[in-house]
Amino acid sequence: MARLYERHTKRKVVSLDGMWKFRIDPERRGIREKWFENFPIDSMDVVVPSCWNNELGLYDYEGCGWYYTTFRNTGNHMNLLFHAVTGQAEVYVDGIHMGGHYGGFTGFNFVLRDLVPGEHTLVVLVDNTHNDTDTIPLARVDWFHYGGITRSVELMELPEIWIQKHRVEYTLSEDLKTATLGFDIHLEAFSAKAAAGELRILLNDRVVARHALKEGALAANVKLGGIPVRDIKLWDIGKPNLYTVTIEIDGDDSVERIGFRRIEAKNQKILLNGREIFIKGVNRHEDHPDWGFAIPLKLMKRDMDIIKEMGCNAIRGSHYPNSELFLDLCDQEGMLFWEEIPMWQYFDKHFKNPVVVDRGLKMLEEMVERDYHRPSIIIWSVHNEVDSNEPSCFDMTKLFVEKVRSLDSSRLLTYASYKDINDICFSLVDIVCLNKYLGWYHDQMEDWGEFIGKVSAKLENEGLSHLPMVISEFGAAGLYGDVTFEGPKWTENYQENYLNYTLNLFLNHPRLAGTYIWQYCDIRTAKEMEMGRARSFNNKGIVNEYRKPKMAYWTVKKFYSSID
């Protein structure tokens, strides 16, 4: 299942999810031996989507893996869409290389032209190898490098003229009662002789615009604007008013969901629809011992229910674009979302590496373009816990911020900083977000008040006192079931006491606009980090990896439920 709603009604879409053949390739023989033409007989059956590390005997495997399946087509032109593959993918159809894609958390596609109807082979080479030089993420991260085809695969039959991509934009009146819609639509044709016809736009099944298409064009951009929508219902926290936009031509269509809302940062506050809000958030990894990154919809819904029951109004998608299914849930549940790319712990040598910079720019572009229409996303983040005290980082961050703003100026921009007092990049963003673990890795939890004061003074001195301040990571580990009278570190008692102290301070501090607790659930960590993590897990979850609540859950619920 790729999405929670039907994206196409005219276009025939077939899911390729199911049982595929799979073979690991630790010696990297597959290219040389042409496995894309003759797949190895000694392969195993695996389910797609899934992570290969959840297969018996492959718990720690990192490297190359090959996938094989077949599909049938009746049309001549097909769109082959992968929703996510971690991390480098190479795709072969009938032994012919279609192309590749780098990056494990956004989708990519290949248009198969003039394909003879019948049965065809599909082979995918996946390489989830990471290093400390130029991969995103690097090898040493505090989550696990799962490998595989981790999200759905779809095959779409394309008509002679089809909707290749689109963007729906809107502006809101000052009183937030009226919206004005605009559209930028790109059409492709496989033949200049294809009949053009008419393009129609529907809002909640009502036609709001028509446009006659020109004959004989292989590609066309259609821009329409100034379409009024009156008496709108705003999308808001817990009030997820969604509108369905359908773009259709005679033989094709594309369905989008949007929500009308305004997000702003003013005078140290975050405003949603003109109303001050306080972010009550958690950081959430898409991880589970039985599923890895390939979280099933039932578990996503359970996560959402637990998080809402805890009193949260926001989730940070740590540290990569989350599944489109989960973001669909956020849209229709009225949950605010922060989205970012997986750049963590990068230093001066990385900022000066053109491969890293180019990959980062591409990931940002894919993230924003994929999720541009989602009302739940209020924050784009360009990186997390990098050396933002370095001039080279300022240059890269400026480049990243300018890239995102060129793609979307309607949302708030930030990054999560762990350099705080020494950070030199705060002038580039809309919100100052701070990751700090006072009372866990160093110092005392009682030092938090002084720390907030120092950062506030820094912003004042730099002319940035207007920026809202959010604590984007804080927390303490608590091993599930370890409850003692003394309550030392690593016990549930210590974690509960820590969150009791910090939340009481943060939720009553006039300088703070929000908090994101690290983290929602315990997660498996990379092998490069496991000796510093009990059980080879990051254990700071409010619930454990199987979603069983720790003592801290009830403390968080008490505080988060006490304020709007």
Side-chain angles (χ1 to χ4, degrees), residues 22 50-54 58 61-63 67 85-87 126-130 144-150 293:
F22 175 74
S50 69
C51 300
W52 65 51
N53 305 95
N54 298 113
L58 297 179
Y61 182 69
E62 182 174 326
Y67 290 82
V85 177
T86 56
V126 182
D127 186 354
N128 76 326
T129 304
H130 297 79
F144 191 75
H145 293 301
Y146 293 104
I149 302 176
T150 55
F293 288 145

Side-chain angles (χ1 to χ4, degrees), residues 251-262:
D252 196 22
D253 64 357
S254 186
V255 181
E256 195 64 71
R257 288 197 315 193
I258 65 170
F260 298 114
R261 57 105 183 94
R262 178 181 291 161

Side-chain angles (χ1 to χ4, degrees), residues 84 124 127 137 167 260 369 436 467 486:
V124 184
D127 186 354
R167 173 170 283 203
F260 298 114
E369 289 192 349
K436 201 74 172 177
L467 295 178
E486 296 78 14

Side-chain angles (χ1 to χ4, degrees), residues 94-139:
D94 296 333
I96 299 172
H97 185 229
M98 295 291 105
H101 178 265
Y102 181 82
F105 304 99
T106 50
F108 58 96
N109 70 295
F110 300 99
V111 176
L112 312 178
R113 299 170 180 267
D114 301 316
L115 197 65
V116 176
E119 185 171 274
H120 302 272
T121 63
L122 172 59
V123 175
V124 184
L125 166 61
V126 182
D127 186 354
N128 76 326
T129 304
H130 297 79
N131 60 47
D132 288 316
T133 303
D134 59 14
T135 60
I136 300 180
L138 299 172

